Amino acid sequence: MPTPTWDTVFADVTDMLRSAMGDFDNELVITPESTFRDDIGMESIDIVALAGRLQAAYGNAVNFALFIAGDEAAIATELRVGRLVTYIVDSLKTSDSGSGTSGVTTTTA
């Protein structure tokens, strides 16, 4: 199965974010530069809901907890949507190559 494109994953993550937020703001514009806390308004419980949705969509190939733990911006609550999307695509590529999820990089989109 081919790895989804960055744009496809971005669209999927955007849908997941809207679902996790309970469609709180249908007019909310989500861009790759949007921050989870300040721009989207996510609280920690929303992050947990997103993590569950990522697990359901991508399985063990995407380890959201590992991503958060390894991202200083996430600790500072300035995690950007584009960084998460890039992490997901990189994780899926690594998983598709059969080498597991170790060594996944978190590059900026």
Side-chain angles (χ1 to χ4, degrees):
M1 180 164 118
T3 302
T5 65
W6 195 95
D7 290 334
T8 300
V9 173
F10 177 72
D12 291 345
V13 168
T14 298
D15 289 344
M16 287 181 214
L17 288 168
R18 290 190 190 288
S19 293
M21 295 300 292
D23 295 321
F24 178 70
D25 185 355
N26 289 328
E27 300 298 316
L28 179 66
V29 176
I30 300 173
T31 70
E33 292 301 312
S34 296
T35 60
F36 284 80
R37 186 188 69 180
D38 294 338
D39 296 330
I40 300 173
M42 294 187 84
E43 308 264 338
S44 59
I45 191 72
D46 301 316
I47 299 285
V48 171
L50 176 61
R53 292 175 193 282
L54 291 169
Q55 176 75 30
Y58 301 113
N60 293 329
V62 176
N63 187 331
F64 187 71
L66 180 65
F67 173 66
I68 293 291
D71 190 319
E72 291 179 24
I75 295 168
T77 66
E78 294 185 16
L79 174 63
R80 297 190 185 279
V81 173
R83 289 182 71 136
L84 174 60
V85 171
T86 298
Y87 173 79
I88 292 168
V89 171
D90 288 349
S91 294
L92 294 173
K93 284 180 185 174
T94 300
S95 179
D96 284 348
S97 71
S99 62
T101 58
S102 62
V104 174
T105 58
T106 54
T107 57
T108 303

